[in-house]
Amino acid sequence: MRSFARTLLVLALLGFTVCCAQTLSAQDFSSLQAEVWLDFEPMGADGPLPRPTNEEASRVLLEEARLLFSGMIYGYSFSYVPSDTVRQVGEQFDLKVLATIPWGDSRLEYRQTRADESSVYLRVRYFPSKIEQTRLKNWNSNRIPDYQARGEASYFDGPKSKLKALDQGIKEAVRNLARGIIRNKPAELRGLAVLAGIPRFAVIGGNYVADVRVFIRLEESYKYLTY
């Protein structure tokens, strides 16, 4: 197994701070933490994919953490059109990232690396600004409902499929909302969604699986004018 001393050097070169500070309380939203992982020997549809270098692994893991923290703070806008067989309407789901933490932000800190026989794990912490903390507090208030769901995407399409599984999980959460609060099938739903925590990722049956919990605020609901 490759040495991870080079990984630490790469992280420093990329502009991320190496940190071993004490964990802060999650209740005040002064810091967010996540552990992200990457397979050392990924498989593709036609067999093993090239083993990632330390630099490649570092970039993939930090990018994943950056996007997950952004999903908790800024979230996404969505448009969802349920399928309707009678009207011959196919299901459509559009998800757009509202904003992201800048790459190389000094408040995104590497904390610890560990590895087993097949994967490398990276613990990352982010210190939200005061404005970002306010956003987190507002979304985590009791006034906004949260929904749990699971999304899947093919493992054989590479590590980026983890984030595709996340998108599918958010879609399923929106579908759960639609089933629970809308009596008649809507023509379209629009709203905002924010991750309520770091999703749990796993590989099951040839798929990346993402178990997510999402805060959802429905902004607009359009009805069909005729039946």
Side-chain angles (χ1 to χ4, degrees), residues 34-83:
E35 182 176 73
V36 290
W37 55 269
L38 180 69
D39 284 348
F40 270 133
E41 299 178 356
M43 294 292 294
D46 299 323
L49 298 174
R51 185 184 179 103
T53 65
N54 283 345
E55 182 174 358
E56 290 170 341
S58 300
R59 285 187 175 274
V60 170
L61 290 171
L62 287 167
E63 175 68 359
E64 181 177 321
R66 183 179 75 93
L67 294 177
L68 292 178
F69 289 142
S70 298
M72 293 178 64
I73 296 170
Y74 298 105
Y76 319 81
S77 64
F78 68 83
S79 169
Y80 174 57
V81 176
S83 63

Side-chain angles (χ1 to χ4, degrees), residues 25-209:
S25 169
Q27 296 300 316
D28 60 9
F29 302 106
S30 60
S31 72
L32 303 175
Q33 299 190 58
E35 182 176 73
V36 290
W37 55 269
L38 180 69
D39 284 348
F40 270 133
E41 299 178 356
M43 294 292 294
D46 299 323
L49 298 174
R51 185 184 179 103
T53 65
N54 283 345
E55 182 174 358
E56 290 170 341
S58 300
R59 285 187 175 274
V60 170
L61 290 171
L62 287 167
E63 175 68 359
E64 181 177 321
R66 183 179 75 93
L67 294 177
L68 292 178
F69 289 142
S70 298
M72 293 178 64
I73 296 170
Y74 298 105
Y76 319 81
S77 64
F78 68 83
S79 169
Y80 174 57
V81 176
S83 63
D84 192 310
T85 304
V86 174
R87 296 181 176 89
Q88 298 182 334
V89 174
E91 184 180 61
Q92 300 174 42
F93 185 72
D94 183 52
L95 189 69
K96 294 182 179 179
V97 176
L98 292 177
T100 58
I101 299 165
W103 175 260
D105 192 316
S106 62
R107 291 174 296 158
L108 185 64
E109 298 184 344
Y110 158 82
R111 297 197 65 209
Q112 182 180 359
T113 296
R114 65 183 180 90
D116 55 27
E117 294 181 355
S118 62
S119 304
V120 59
Y121 302 81
L122 185 71
R123 293 192 64 84
V124 185
R125 183 163 67 174
Y126 179 68
F127 294 90
S129 67
K130 294 297 183 182
I131 293 176
E132 291 172 334
Q133 289 183 46
T134 298
R135 293 182 65 93
L136 285 163
K137 290 176 182 177
N138 290 340
W139 275 105
N140 283 267
S141 70
N142 293 329
R143 298 188 301 273
I144 302 174
D146 63 273
Y147 299 83
Q148 291 184 317
R150 168 173 287 191
E152 298 183 4
S154 175
Y155 171 80
F156 301 106
D157 289 339
K160 290 185 178 180
S161 279
K162 289 176 72 177
L163 296 178
K164 292 181 182 178
L166 170 63
D167 291 351
Q168 287 298 311
I170 296 173
K171 172 184 174 180
E172 291 300 316
V174 172
R175 292 181 69 184
N176 291 341
L177 174 148
R179 294 190 190 103
I181 68 172
I182 299 175
R183 184 173 181 179
N184 296 318
K185 183 176 293 186
E188 182 182 4
L189 299 178
R190 294 182 183 180
L192 303 175
V194 165
L195 298 180
I198 298 298
R200 292 186 178 184
F201 292 101
V203 178
I204 302 175
N207 289 317
Y208 281 113
V209 173

